[in-house]
Amino acid sequence: MKKRIVLLGATGSIGESTLRVARSLPDHLEIIGLSGGRNTARLLEIAKEFPAARLCAGDEAGAAALRNALPGREILHGSDGLDELASMPDADLVLVAIVGTAGLRPALKALEADKDLAVASKEILVMAGELVMATALRTGSRVLPVDSEHNAIFQCLEGQDPSTVRRLILTCSGGPFRKASANDLASVTPDQALRHPTWSMGRKISVDSATLFNKGLEMIEAMWLFRLPMEKIAVVVHPQSIVHSLVEFLDGSILSQMSSTDMALPIQYALTYPKRYAGPCAPLDLLALGRLDFEPPRTDLFPAIGLARRAGTMGGTLPAVLNAANEAAVDAFLAGRISFPGIWENVERAMDAVPFVEHPTLDQLIEADRAARVCVTG
Ligand code: NAD
Ligand code: MG
């Protein structure tokens, strides 16, 4: 039987890689719902390729344009439309690949409706990991990681007793400024920050990879997905992005997952779990690679890792504040309003300023998120 998939964020980098996986596994996967944000032209092209899928445009104008071009087809829009797609009765799995926290509500809807949830949008686990995981536990739905590091750890943990894990080791490419000095960082431009050495991704995550906030968010994401405290989560720089992460066990064994630098692989594993098929990801040529390098992260020059460690250790509203302040600061940096180091300076300021709540409700998380954004934008 085919797995029926709803894909939220189809027009983005993860969305396009997901469609590549779906095209290559037509006997196993069927796309039955698709959403896009502002790129209505691309959503229209995708909609034509997947004529059976229900659609959700970013706003009313986008929906009207789609209706014009696709007469007779039902078109939803906005956040209510996302909720409706996420709870489609015949869906088996919902993949959330909307950048930022706009995917949180539909992710919760999917879990409430007993769908498996594949999470690319790490921001939703950073903001509300406790709530997402508690909802999944209550409904019995699975939360399947799409982020390559977490997907690697998920594969390494299969069949293992979680109490035998000594620590998780997240790998990190080091980003475009792995060898930069503090002086170099002070004058980084958006163009330079967007040029990732190993992965081709959306704008926000590319900047996050340059500041190392991407790794910081992933440390908190890992805490929730694998239910481990922050002190069991380590980071090692691995410039080739081939070892996607590692798990160290009590006996000293380390298991890792390796594959080509292509998001199609973790996406496919999340979609077809627990099965494996020959998909679009090119095999890894170890001899062509020759070597794999590992280095410590430069936490003095890149405060993001320390800030994330503090947020993950403290818990409560602090991860949501870190996440929202970072999102607003990345926007401000890309718009030329703040410097590159201004991103972590703003995040730290928001973490110090926004009142802390230890066991927040969803409303308190949303309020902390709002207050953190105001703190950055002034
Ligand atoms: P992207 O910017 O390329 O795409 C984002 C998608 O979300 C687009 O389809 C866009 O139209 C949609 N969108 C944006 N804002 C929206 C809103 N408010 N409402 C509805 N739709 C909206 O981003 P991406 O690189 O594909 O990343 C998506 C998510 O996956 C991010 O959370 C990122 O951290 C995570 N992720 C990405 C990669 C990668 O390789 N690109 C790897 C791991 C994790
Ligand atoms: Mg990642």
Side-chain angles (χ1 to χ4, degrees):
M1 245 204 11
K2 291 186 193 181
K3 243 189 219 180
R4 286 157 304 185
I5 313 288
V6 169
L7 169 58
L8 306 184
T11 56
S13 165
I14 290 285
E16 296 282 2
S17 296
T18 305
L19 296 174
R20 196 151 59 86
V21 172
R23 275 182 210 112
S24 83
L25 297 174
D27 296 339
H28 304 292
L29 302 174
E30 185 182 356
I31 302 285
I32 65 163
L34 288 164
S35 86
R38 276 181 295 195
N39 191 348
T40 309
R42 181 63 192 133
L43 185 59
L44 175 60
E45 288 171 0
I46 298 171
K48 287 180 179 160
E49 190 190 342
F50 295 90
R54 278 179 91 189
L55 303 174
C56 177
D59 56 20
E60 209 162 345
L66 288 179
R67 264 185 221 110
N68 251 344
L70 302 167
R73 205 142 155 198
E74 188 198 348
I75 321 273
L76 307 161
H77 70 267
S79 59
D80 290 343
L82 289 177
D83 288 355
E84 201 169 328
L85 275 197
S87 39
M88 272 174 71
D90 46 348
D92 298 310
L93 180 148
V94 177
L95 193 158
V96 181
I98 294 174
V99 60
T101 46
L104 176 59
R105 219 175 78 169
L108 293 171
K109 288 278 173 200
L111 292 172
E112 297 284 0
D114 276 347
K115 316 293 176 197
D116 284 345
L117 175 69
V119 182
S121 311
K122 59 195 86 189
E123 295 91 343
I124 68 183
L125 286 173
V126 175
M127 179 183 177
E130 186 167 10
L131 180 67
V132 171
M133 298 311 286
T135 307
L137 201 64
R138 179 161 52 74
T139 62
S141 300
R142 289 184 181 124
V143 179
L144 299 156
V146 167
D147 214 342
S148 56
E149 294 78 2
H150 307 75
N151 193 274
I153 291 168
F154 181 66
Q155 294 191 44
C156 295
L157 286 175
E158 244 165 87
Q160 305 290 337
D161 172 354
S163 70
T164 63
V165 172
R166 182 179 285 158
R167 57 184 188 141
L168 308 181
I169 306 168
L170 297 175
T171 51
C172 169
S173 72
F177 311 123
R178 184 167 59 93
K179 293 190 179 295
S181 67
N183 255 347
D184 299 336
L185 292 185
S187 59
V188 162
T189 63
D191 269 358
Q192 290 170 324
L194 289 168
R195 251 178 264 135
H196 196 273
T198 51
W199 295 98
S200 156
M201 310 180 285
R203 288 162 67 82
K204 197 247 171 191
I205 185 174
S206 295
V207 176
D208 285 348
S209 298
T211 56
L212 301 201
F213 267 112
N214 183 50
K215 212 47 56 184
L217 299 176
E218 289 181 359
M219 291 159 70
I220 300 172
E221 181 186 12
M223 287 177 62
W224 289 116
L225 283 169
F226 306 112
R227 297 176 190 284
L228 287 169
M230 191 49 105
E231 71 257 23
K232 290 199 170 188
I233 297 169
V235 173
V236 61
V237 172
H238 166 49
Q240 292 94 351
S241 301
I242 293 296
V243 175
H244 294 300
S245 278
L246 315 92
V247 179
E248 184 179 324
F249 293 89
L250 292 178
D251 60 1
S253 280
I254 293 185
L255 299 188
S256 76
Q257 184 266 339
M258 293 191 263
S259 52
S260 308
T261 312
D262 183 350
M263 286 305 294
L265 189 118
I267 291 168
Q268 176 178 321
Y269 195 67
L271 296 185
T272 64
Y273 175 81
K275 299 208 168 130
R276 291 185 190 270
Y277 301 105
C281 185
L284 188 57
D285 184 345
L286 287 175
L287 297 181
L289 265 170
R291 57 186 279 178
L292 299 171
D293 296 303
F294 299 95
E295 307 165 1
R298 297 195 299 163
T299 44
D300 49 339
L301 272 192
F302 295 93
I305 292 201
L307 291 172
R309 203 168 276 294
R310 178 178 143 206
T313 307
M314 288 281 287
T317 38
L318 210 52
V321 169
L322 173 140
N323 178 62
N326 178 54
E327 227 174 288
V330 169
D331 278 349
F333 167 69
L334 287 174
R337 289 196 302 274
I338 63 171
S339 70
F340 186 66
I343 299 177
W344 54 78
E345 288 160 11
N346 272 281
V347 172
E348 185 165 16
R349 198 158 43 78
M351 286 172 68
D352 291 337
V354 176
F356 178 73
V357 181
E358 196 170 355
H359 296 290
T361 60
L362 181 57
D363 283 346
Q364 288 171 315
L365 286 171
I366 291 169
E367 171 51 25
D369 177 295
R370 191 200 60 78
R373 284 170 206 268
V374 171
C375 209
V376 174
T377 56

